[in-house]
Amino acid sequence: MCMVIFAPLFAIFAFATCGGYSGGLRLSVDCVNKTESNLSIDIAFAYPFRLHQVTFEVPTCEGKERQKLALIGDSSSSAEFFVTVAVFAFLYSLAATVVYIFFQNKYRENNRGPLIDFVVTVVFSFLWLVGSSAWAKGLSDVKVATDPKEVLQLMSACKQPSNKCMAVHSPVMSSLNTSVVFGFLNFILWAGNIWFVFKETCWHSSGQRYLSDPMEKHSSSYNQGGYNQESYGSSSGYNQQASLGPSSDEFGPQPSGPTSFTNQI
C-alpha cells in the first residue's frame, strides 16, 4: 500500500524539481573607464544543462570591444536520464495502482502478474540507483561550472587588477538538491518493495513448499519410530513377565480344587 501511495508522488517530485529548473547568476565588471563597464551581466541556464551552449558577452575594458564567452560543461545526459526514469516510474506506478485496485483477479491469474511486477520492480530499483548517482555527479559539475568565481576567471578583463569584477548574486540550487534527495528516496522505496512483491510470486510459494515437505517427512518418520518402539517395549515386557512364571508341565498336574483338611488326614 505504501508503494501505491508514495511511488507516484516521489516520482513527480523527482522529475518536477529537476526538469522544471531554470536559474541564473549575475556578474558585474567595473572598468577603469566607467563607460566601458557592465554592472549587470545576466547568465541564465536551465534543464537539460547543456552549459557549453549558454553564451554571454562581457566587456574587455579595452574600448568598446566585447568578449563572447560560454559556460563550461554538459550535464544533459545524466539530467535527461534521471528525468526519463522518473517519468516512466510515475507511469508504471499509476498503471500498477489501477491493476491492484480494479483487476486484482487478473493480476493473480496464472501468477504472471506478480512475476512481471517483481521483474519491473527490480529493474526500476537499479535504474533509480544509477540515475540518482549519475545526476548527483552531474549536479556537482553544474555547481562548479556556474560558480561565479569560476565564471569570472574566464573573463580577460577580470585578469587585470585595475578592473573590479564581482558577483551580484549566485544561482539557487535548492530545487536541484531536492531532486537528488527524492531520487535516492525513490531507490529506497522501490528496493524495499522488492521483498513484498517477491512474496506474491510462485518462486516464494514453491520455496515454502520445498522447505515444509522435508519437515513433514521428518516429523512423520519420527512419530512412526516412536510408535514402533512403544509397541516393541510393551510386547517384550509382556513376554518377559510370562516367561518368569512356572509352567504346569514342570511341576506336574495340579489339583483342580482345594483339598479339605480331613481328607488329608
Side-chain angles (χ1 to χ4, degrees), residues 107-162:
Y107 172 77
R108 298 180 180 278
E109 185 177 356
N110 298 327
N111 204 39
R112 187 174 300 174
L115 289 178
I116 296 175
D117 195 13
F118 173 74
V119 174
V120 175
T121 302
V122 172
V123 171
F124 269 112
S125 300
F126 176 75
L127 292 178
W128 273 118
L129 177 61
V130 174
S132 301
S133 301
W135 171 229
K137 177 61 172 61
L139 177 58
S140 178
D141 296 338
V142 171
K143 290 180 178 180
V144 173
T146 58
D147 186 359
K149 295 180 180 180
E150 297 293 331
V151 179
L152 289 175
Q153 292 179 1
L154 301 176
M155 304 179 185
S156 59
C158 298
K159 297 178 182 179
Q160 301 175 9
S162 58

Side-chain angles (χ1 to χ4, degrees), residues 164-181:
K164 295 180 180 179
C165 300
M166 59 182 299
V168 178
H169 70 76
S170 302
V172 179
M173 300 286 188
S174 57
S175 63
L176 296 181
N177 295 330
T178 304
S179 67
V180 174
V181 172

